[in-house]
Amino acid sequence: MATASVAFKSREDHWKQIELEEAREAGLAPAKVDEDGKEINPHIPQYMSSAPWYLNAVRPSLKHQRKWKSDPNYTKSWNDRGAKIFLPDKYGKGACQNCGSMTHDSKLCMERPQKMGAKWTNTHIAPDEKIETFKVDYDGQREAGMVTKHQLMPELSKGMKQEMKLEEST
């Protein structure tokens, strides 16, 4: 039960306020309406629904809980996993020996290992996968399974990466 701590109230006014809030929680009285005309859920505790004193809130609102600083570079688009872009006619130099795709090598190939791969048969060559690069925010970069350590630091040379591996192993 959330009580409003506005000013000094008489005992009767205090009990009327408590009864009104109990009726709102039970669904007998209409819920409070914020500045935007949206109903405020009566089950939200007071410490979450009341705005801090420095915001000088006149009417009840949940605006202080919403994100008020939006990043203009943030995008909600996500990678188009599994999309194919180009189907080559024949095996190309540097492609995967197993499936013939140019976007990965045979170690990273997700296709079933063939007895005679696309390099030797020149048939059943897989299309290239779509590889997207997009900007994500700080939390998105550290999301589990989203980004590896080497994708965060692409400027490192092979020598520095080998040094880092040695340091991690010791």
Side-chain angles (χ1 to χ4, degrees), residues 11 16 20 26 36 47 55 67 125 128 142 150 152 170:
R11 181 176 295 174
K16 284 180 187 177
L20 178 63
D36 299 333
Y47 71 90
L55 291 180
K67 188 175 182 180
I125 297 188
D128 296 339
R142 279 134 188 94
H150 300 294
L152 288 174
T170 59

Side-chain angles (χ1 to χ4, degrees), residues 24 28 76 86 88 107 120 124 161-162:
R24 283 186 174 144
L28 303 173
K76 289 192 176 191
F86 176 68
K107 289 182 182 178
W120 297 279
H124 302 295
K161 286 182 185 178
Q162 290 173 352

Side-chain angles (χ1 to χ4, degrees), residues 57-97:
V58 179
R59 295 186 61 201
S61 176
L62 294 176
K63 270 189 175 175
H64 64 281
Q65 292 286 347
R66 296 187 185 104
K67 188 175 182 180
W68 55 277
K69 232 187 231 184
S70 62
D71 185 13
N73 296 329
Y74 182 70
T75 178
K76 289 192 176 191
S77 64
W78 207 244
N79 60 346
D80 193 9
R81 188 174 296 201
K84 311 295 184 190
I85 54 171
F86 176 68
L87 181 61
D89 298 339
K90 59 182 184 171
Y91 180 81
K93 187 176 183 183
C96 175
Q97 294 178 356

Side-chain angles (χ1 to χ4, degrees), residues 20-41:
L20 178 63
E21 289 178 3
E22 287 176 352
R24 283 186 174 144
E25 287 182 8
L28 303 173
K32 289 182 185 177
V33 179
D34 67 355
E35 297 170 347
D36 299 333
K38 298 177 183 174
E39 289 185 356
I40 298 176
N41 187 344

Side-chain angles (χ1 to χ4, degrees), residues 109-128:
C109 188
M110 297 300 288
E111 299 287 330
R112 182 178 67 88
Q114 304 293 327
K115 190 173 190 181
M116 295 281 290
K119 180 177 181 180
W120 297 279
T121 61
N122 215 13
T123 57
H124 302 295
I125 297 188
D128 296 339

